Amino acid sequence: MAKPAIDQTVRVESPCIRKCTLDDSDICVGCFRSLDEICAWGNASNHQRLQVLELALARRQLKTGNA
């Protein structure tokens, strides 16, 4: 199944939930982004942001056991 087209005029919003604490692996316990991903977010394209969101979701699922 093809992914829907990304609207480049609307920026993908940050998943930040203002629970900004990093674990021992430098992963935020609130949004599950890495420190590097958080720092790069402001200059990231929508495509890059969606990739980060996919990685963060996978990390969340591993941590919480929810698929």
Side-chain angles (χ1 to χ4, degrees):
M1 177 180 224
K3 289 188 177 185
I6 300 169
D7 184 349
Q8 293 297 326
T9 62
V10 178
R11 298 290 281 173
V12 174
E13 294 296 320
S14 170
C16 181
I17 61 170
R18 307 291 186 250
K19 189 176 179 184
C20 305
T21 303
L22 299 177
D23 67 12
D24 292 337
S25 299
D26 284 342
I27 302 296
C28 177
V29 300
C31 68
F32 291 89
R33 291 181 292 166
S34 70
L35 179 58
D36 289 340
E37 292 165 346
I38 293 167
C39 291
W41 187 266
N43 293 320
S45 68
N46 276 352
H47 179 74
Q48 291 167 319
R49 289 178 176 203
L50 290 172
Q51 288 178 321
V52 168
L53 292 178
E54 286 180 15
L55 291 170
L57 177 60
R59 288 186 199 111
R60 180 186 308 273
Q61 289 172 341
L62 280 174
K63 183 80 171 182
T64 62
N66 294 329

Coordinates of all heavy atoms in Angstrom, one line a residue:
M1 N 0.8 -1.2 0.0 CA 0.0 0.0 0.0 C 0.9 1.2 0.0 O 1.8 1.4 0.8 CB -0.9 0.0 1.2 CG -1.8 1.2 1.3 SD -2.8 1.1 2.8 CE -4.3 1.6 2.1
A2 N 0.6 2.2 -0.9 CA 1.4 3.4 -1.0 C 1.1 4.3 0.2 O 0.0 4.4 0.7 CB 1.1 4.1 -2.3
K3 N 2.2 5.0 0.6 CA 2.0 6.0 1.7 C 1.3 7.3 1.1 O 1.6 7.6 -0.1 CB 3.3 6.4 2.3 CG 3.9 5.3 3.1 CD 5.1 5.8 3.9 CE 5.6 4.7 4.8 NZ 6.7 5.1 5.6
P4 N 0.5 8.0 1.8 CA -0.1 9.2 1.3 C 0.9 10.3 1.0 O 2.0 10.3 1.7 CB -1.1 9.6 2.4 CG -0.7 8.9 3.6 CD 0.1 7.7 3.2
A5 N 0.6 11.1 0.1 CA 1.6 12.2 -0.2 C 1.7 13.2 1.0 O 0.7 13.4 1.7 CB 1.0 13.0 -1.4
I6 N 2.9 13.7 1.2 CA 3.2 14.6 2.3 C 2.9 16.0 1.8 O 3.5 16.4 0.8 CB 4.6 14.4 2.8 CG1 4.9 13.0 3.2 CG2 5.0 15.5 3.8 CD1 6.4 12.7 3.5
D7 N 2.1 16.7 2.5 CA 1.8 18.1 2.2 C 3.0 18.9 2.7 O 3.2 19.1 3.9 CB 0.5 18.6 2.9 CG 0.1 20.0 2.6 OD1 1.0 20.7 1.9 OD2 -1.0 20.4 2.9
Q8 N 3.8 19.4 1.8 CA 5.0 20.2 2.1 C 4.7 21.6 2.6 O 5.6 22.3 3.1 CB 6.0 20.2 0.9 CG 6.6 18.9 0.6 CD 7.4 18.3 1.7 OE1 8.1 19.0 2.4 NE2 7.4 17.0 1.8
T9 N 3.5 22.0 2.5 CA 3.1 23.4 3.0 C 2.8 23.4 4.5 O 2.8 24.5 5.1 CB 2.0 24.0 2.2 OG1 0.8 23.2 2.4 CG2 2.3 24.1 0.7
V10 N 2.5 22.2 5.0 CA 2.2 22.1 6.4 C 3.3 21.3 7.1 O 3.5 20.2 6.8 CB 0.8 21.4 6.6 CG1 0.5 21.3 8.1 CG2 -0.3 22.2 5.9
R11 N 3.9 22.0 8.1 CA 5.0 21.3 8.8 C 4.5 20.2 9.8 O 3.5 20.5 10.4 CB 5.9 22.3 9.6 CG 6.5 23.4 8.8 CD 7.7 22.9 8.0 NE 8.8 22.7 8.8 CZ 9.9 22.1 8.4 NH1 10.0 21.7 7.2 NH2 11.0 22.0 9.2
V12 N 5.2 19.1 9.8 CA 4.9 18.1 10.8 C 5.2 18.6 12.1 O 6.3 19.1 12.4 CB 5.7 16.8 10.5 CG1 5.4 15.7 11.5 CG2 5.3 16.3 9.1
E13 N 4.3 18.6 13.0 CA 4.4 19.1 14.4 C 5.3 18.2 15.3 O 5.3 17.0 15.1 CB 3.1 19.3 15.0 CG 2.2 20.4 14.4 CD 2.8 21.8 14.4 OE1 3.4 22.1 15.5 OE2 2.7 22.5 13.4
S14 N 5.9 18.8 16.2 CA 6.8 18.1 17.2 C 5.9 17.2 18.1 O 4.8 17.6 18.5 CB 7.5 19.1 18.1 OG 8.1 18.5 19.1
P15 N 6.4 16.0 18.4 CA 5.6 15.1 19.3 C 5.9 15.4 20.8 O 5.4 14.7 21.6 CB 6.2 13.8 18.9 CG 7.6 14.0 18.6 CD 7.6 15.4 17.9
C16 N 6.6 16.5 21.0 CA 6.9 16.9 22.4 C 5.7 17.0 23.3 O 4.7 17.7 22.9 CB 7.7 18.2 22.4 SG 8.2 18.7 24.1
I17 N 5.7 16.4 24.5 CA 4.6 16.5 25.4 C 5.1 17.2 26.7 O 4.4 17.1 27.7 CB 4.0 15.1 25.7 CG1 5.0 14.2 26.3 CG2 3.4 14.5 24.5 CD1 4.4 12.9 26.9
R18 N 6.2 17.9 26.6 CA 6.7 18.7 27.7 C 7.0 17.8 29.0 O 6.9 18.2 30.1 CB 5.8 19.8 28.1 CG 5.4 20.7 27.0 CD 6.6 21.5 26.5 NE 6.2 22.5 25.5 CZ 6.5 22.4 24.2 NH1 7.2 21.4 23.8 NH2 6.1 23.3 23.4
K19 N 7.5 16.6 28.7 CA 8.0 15.7 29.7 C 9.4 15.3 29.4 O 9.8 14.2 29.3 CB 7.1 14.4 29.8 CG 7.4 13.5 31.0 CD 6.4 12.3 30.9 CE 6.7 11.4 32.1 NZ 5.9 10.2 32.1
C20 N 10.2 16.4 29.3 CA 11.5 16.3 28.7 C 12.6 15.8 29.8 O 13.1 16.6 30.6 CB 12.0 17.7 28.2 SG 10.8 18.4 27.0
T21 N 12.8 14.6 29.7 CA 13.8 13.9 30.6 C 14.4 12.8 29.7 O 13.7 12.1 29.1 CB 13.2 13.3 31.8 OG1 12.4 14.3 32.5 CG2 14.2 12.7 32.7
L22 N 15.8 12.8 29.7 CA 16.5 11.8 28.9 C 16.8 10.6 29.8 O 17.2 10.8 30.9 CB 17.7 12.4 28.3 CG 17.5 13.6 27.4 CD1 18.9 14.1 26.9 CD2 16.7 13.2 26.2
D23 N 16.7 9.4 29.2 CA 17.1 8.2 29.9 C 18.6 8.0 29.7 O 19.3 8.9 29.2 CB 16.3 7.0 29.5 CG 16.5 6.6 28.0 OD1 17.5 7.0 27.4 OD2 15.8 5.7 27.5
D24 N 19.1 6.9 30.2 CA 20.6 6.6 30.1 C 21.1 6.5 28.6 O 22.3 6.6 28.4 CB 20.9 5.3 30.8 CG 20.8 5.5 32.3 OD1 20.8 6.7 32.8 OD2 20.6 4.5 33.0
S25 N 20.2 6.3 27.7 CA 20.5 6.2 26.3 C 20.3 7.5 25.5 O 20.3 7.5 24.3 CB 19.7 5.1 25.6 OG 20.0 3.8 26.2
D26 N 20.0 8.6 26.2 CA 19.7 9.9 25.6 C 18.4 9.8 24.8 O 18.3 10.5 23.7 CB 20.9 10.5 24.8 CG 21.9 11.0 25.7 OD1 21.6 11.3 26.9 OD2 23.1 11.2 25.3
I27 N 17.4 9.1 25.3 CA 16.1 9.0 24.6 C 15.1 9.7 25.6 O 15.1 9.4 26.8 CB 15.6 7.6 24.4 CG1 16.7 6.8 23.5 CG2 14.2 7.5 23.8 CD1 16.8 7.4 22.1
C28 N 14.3 10.6 25.1 CA 13.4 11.4 25.9 C 12.3 10.4 26.4 O 11.7 9.6 25.6 CB 12.7 12.5 25.1 SG 11.5 13.4 26.0
V29 N 12.0 10.4 27.6 CA 10.9 9.5 28.2 C 9.5 10.0 27.9 O 8.6 9.3 28.1 CB 11.1 9.4 29.7 CG1 12.5 8.8 30.1 CG2 10.9 10.7 30.5
G30 N 9.4 11.2 27.3 CA 8.1 11.8 27.0 C 7.7 11.5 25.5 O 6.7 10.9 25.2
C31 N 8.6 11.8 24.6 CA 8.3 11.6 23.2 C 9.1 10.5 22.5 O 8.8 10.2 21.3 CB 8.5 12.9 22.4 SG 10.3 13.4 22.3
F32 N 10.1 9.9 23.2 CA 10.9 8.8 22.7 C 11.8 9.2 21.5 O 12.2 8.3 20.7 CB 10.0 7.6 22.3 CG 9.4 7.0 23.6 CD1 8.2 7.4 24.1 CD2 10.1 6.0 24.3 CE1 7.7 6.9 25.2 CE2 9.6 5.4 25.4 CZ 8.4 5.9 25.9
R33 N 12.1 10.5 21.3 CA 13.1 10.9 20.3 C 14.4 10.9 21.0 O 14.5 11.1 22.2 CB 12.8 12.3 19.8 CG 11.6 12.4 18.9 CD 11.3 13.8 18.4 NE 11.0 14.7 19.5 CZ 11.0 16.0 19.4 NH1 11.3 16.6 18.3 NH2 10.7 16.7 20.5
S34 N 15.5 10.7 20.2 CA 16.8 10.8 20.7 C 17.2 12.2 20.9 O 16.6 13.1 20.3 CB 17.8 10.1 19.8 OG 18.0 10.8 18.6
L35 N 18.2 12.5 21.7 CA 18.7 13.9 21.8 C 19.1 14.5 20.5 O 18.7 15.6 20.2 CB 19.9 13.9 22.8 CG 20.5 15.3 23.0 CD1 19.5 16.3 23.6 CD2 21.7 15.2 24.0
D36 N 19.8 13.7 19.6 CA 20.2 14.2 18.3 C 18.9 14.5 17.5 O 18.9 15.5 16.8 CB 21.0 13.2 17.6 CG 22.4 13.0 18.2 OD1 22.9 14.0 18.9 OD2 23.1 12.0 17.9
E37 N 17.9 13.7 17.5 CA 16.7 13.9 16.8 C 16.0 15.2 17.3 O 15.4 16.0 16.5 CB 15.7 12.7 16.9 CG 16.3 11.5 16.2 CD 15.6 10.2 16.5 OE1 14.8 10.2 17.5 OE2 15.8 9.2 15.8
I38 N 16.0 15.4 18.6 CA 15.3 16.6 19.1 C 16.1 17.8 18.7 O 15.4 18.8 18.2 CB 15.3 16.5 20.7 CG1 14.4 15.4 21.1 CG2 14.9 17.9 21.3 CD1 14.5 15.0 22.6
C39 N 17.4 17.8 18.7 CA 18.2 19.0 18.3 C 18.0 19.3 16.8 O 18.1 20.4 16.4 CB 19.7 18.7 18.6 SG 20.0 18.7 20.4
A40 N 17.9 18.2 16.0 CA 17.8 18.4 14.5 C 16.4 18.8 14.1 O 16.2 19.2 12.9 CB 18.3 17.2 13.8
W41 N 15.4 18.6 14.9 CA 14.0 18.8 14.5 C 13.7 20.1 13.8 O 13.0 20.1 12.8 CB 13.1 18.6 15.8 CG 11.6 18.5 15.4 CD1 10.7 19.6 15.4 CD2 10.9 17.4 15.0 NE1 9.5 19.2 15.0 CE2 9.6 17.8 14.8 CE3 11.2 16.1 14.8 CZ2 8.6 16.9 14.3 CZ3 10.2 15.2 14.4 CH2 8.9 15.6 14.2
G42 N 14.2 21.2 14.4 CA 13.8 22.5 13.8 C 14.2 22.7 12.4 O 13.6 23.4 11.6
N43 N 15.3 22.0 11.9 CA 15.7 22.2 10.5 C 15.4 21.0 9.7 O 15.8 20.9 8.5 CB 17.3 22.4 10.5 CG 17.7 23.7 11.1 OD1 17.0 24.7 10.9 ND2 18.7 23.7 11.9
A44 N 14.6 20.0 10.2 CA 14.3 18.8 9.5 C 13.2 19.0 8.5 O 12.3 19.8 8.8 CB 13.9 17.7 10.4
S45 N 13.2 18.3 7.3 CA 12.1 18.4 6.4 C 11.0 17.5 6.9 O 11.2 16.8 7.9 CB 12.6 17.8 5.0 OG 12.9 16.4 5.2
N46 N 9.8 17.7 6.3 CA 8.7 16.9 6.7 C 9.0 15.4 6.6 O 8.7 14.6 7.4 CB 7.5 17.2 5.9 CG 6.7 18.4 6.4 OD1 7.0 18.9 7.5 ND2 5.7 18.8 5.6
H47 N 9.7 15.0 5.5 CA 10.1 13.6 5.3 C 11.0 13.1 6.5 O 10.8 12.1 7.0 CB 10.9 13.5 4.0 CG 11.3 12.1 3.7 ND1 10.4 11.1 3.3 CD2 12.5 11.5 3.8 CE1 11.1 9.9 3.2 NE2 12.4 10.2 3.4
Q48 N 12.0 13.9 6.8 CA 12.9 13.6 7.9 C 12.1 13.5 9.2 O 12.3 12.6 10.1 CB 14.0 14.6 8.1 CG 15.0 14.5 6.9 CD 15.9 15.7 6.9 OE1 15.5 16.9 7.1 NE2 17.2 15.5 6.6
R49 N 11.2 14.4 9.5 CA 10.4 14.4 10.7 C 9.5 13.2 10.8 O 9.4 12.6 11.8 CB 9.5 15.7 10.7 CG 10.3 16.9 11.0 CD 9.4 18.2 11.0 NE 10.2 19.3 11.4 CZ 9.6 20.4 11.9 NH1 8.3 20.5 12.1 NH2 10.4 21.5 12.2
L50 N 8.9 12.8 9.6 CA 8.1 11.5 9.6 C 9.0 10.3 10.0 O 8.5 9.4 10.6 CB 7.4 11.4 8.3 CG 6.3 12.4 8.1 CD1 5.7 12.3 6.6 CD2 5.1 12.2 9.1
Q51 N 10.2 10.3 9.5 CA 11.1 9.2 9.8 C 11.4 9.2 11.3 O 11.4 8.1 11.9 CB 12.4 9.3 9.0 CG 12.2 9.0 7.5 CD 13.6 9.2 6.8 OE1 14.3 10.1 7.0 NE2 13.8 8.3 5.8
V52 N 11.6 10.3 11.9 CA 11.9 10.4 13.3 C 10.7 9.9 14.1 O 10.8 9.2 15.1 CB 12.3 11.8 13.7 CG1 12.3 12.0 15.2 CG2 13.6 12.2 13.1
L53 N 9.5 10.3 13.6 CA 8.3 9.9 14.3 C 8.1 8.4 14.3 O 7.7 7.7 15.3 CB 7.0 10.6 13.7 CG 6.9 12.1 14.0 CD1 5.7 12.6 13.3 CD2 6.9 12.4 15.4
E54 N 8.5 7.8 13.1 CA 8.4 6.3 13.0 C 9.4 5.6 14.0 O 9.0 4.6 14.7 CB 8.7 5.9 11.6 CG 7.5 6.1 10.6 CD 7.8 5.7 9.2 OE1 8.8 4.9 9.0 OE2 7.1 6.1 8.3
L55 N 10.6 6.2 14.1 CA 11.6 5.6 15.0 C 11.1 5.8 16.5 O 11.3 4.9 17.3 CB 12.9 6.3 14.8 CG 13.7 6.0 13.5 CD1 14.9 7.0 13.3 CD2 14.1 4.6 13.5
A56 N 10.6 6.9 16.8 CA 10.1 7.2 18.1 C 9.0 6.3 18.5 O 8.9 5.7 19.6 CB 9.7 8.7 18.3
L57 N 8.1 6.0 17.6 CA 7.0 5.1 17.8 C 7.5 3.7 18.1 O 7.0 3.0 19.0 CB 6.0 5.1 16.6 CG 4.8 4.1 16.7 CD1 4.0 4.4 17.9 CD2 4.0 4.1 15.4
A58 N 8.5 3.3 17.3 CA 9.1 1.9 17.5 C 9.7 1.8 18.9 O 9.6 0.8 19.6 CB 10.1 1.6 16.4
R59 N 10.4 2.9 19.3 CA 11.0 2.9 20.6 C 10.0 2.9 21.7 O 10.1 2.1 22.7 CB 11.9 4.2 20.8 CG 13.1 4.2 20.0 CD 13.9 5.5 20.4 NE 14.9 5.7 19.4 CZ 14.9 6.7 18.5 NH1 13.9 7.7 18.6 NH2 15.8 6.9 17.6
R60 N 8.9 3.6 21.5 CA 7.8 3.6 22.5 C 7.2 2.2 22.6 O 6.9 1.7 23.7 CB 6.7 4.6 22.1 CG 5.5 4.6 23.1 CD 4.4 5.5 22.6 NE 4.8 6.8 22.2 CZ 4.9 7.9 23.1 NH1 4.6 7.7 24.3 NH2 5.3 9.1 22.6
Q61 N 7.0 1.5 21.5 CA 6.4 0.2 21.5 C 7.3 -0.8 22.2 O 6.8 -1.7 22.9 CB 6.1 -0.2 20.1 CG 4.9 0.5 19.5 CD 4.7 0.3 18.0 OE1 5.5 -0.2 17.3 NE2 3.5 0.6 17.6
L62 N 8.6 -0.7 22.0 CA 9.6 -1.6 22.6 C 9.6 -1.4 24.1 O 9.6 -2.3 24.9 CB 11.0 -1.3 22.1 CG 11.3 -2.0 20.8 CD1 12.7 -1.5 20.3 CD2 11.3 -3.5 20.9
K63 N 9.5 -0.1 24.5 CA 9.5 0.2 25.9 C 8.3 -0.2 26.7 O 8.3 -0.7 27.8 CB 9.8 1.7 26.1 CG 9.9 2.3 27.5 CD 11.3 2.0 28.0 CE 11.5 2.7 29.3 NZ 12.8 2.5 29.8
T64 N 7.1 0.1 26.0 CA 5.9 -0.2 26.7 C 5.3 -1.5 26.4 O 4.3 -2.0 27.1 CB 4.8 0.9 26.4 OG1 4.6 0.8 25.0 CG2 5.3 2.3 26.7
G65 N 5.8 -2.2 25.4 CA 5.2 -3.5 25.0 C 3.9 -3.4 24.2 O 3.3 -4.4 24.0
N66 N 3.6 -2.2 23.8 CA 2.3 -2.0 23.0 C 2.7 -2.0 21.5 O 3.5 -1.3 21.1 CB 1.6 -0.7 23.4 CG 1.1 -0.7 24.8 OD1 0.8 -1.8 25.3 ND2 1.1 0.4 25.4
A67 N 2.0 -2.9 20.8 CA 2.2 -2.9 19.3 C 1.2 -2.1 18.6 O 0.3 -1.7 19.1 CB 2.1 -4.4 18.9

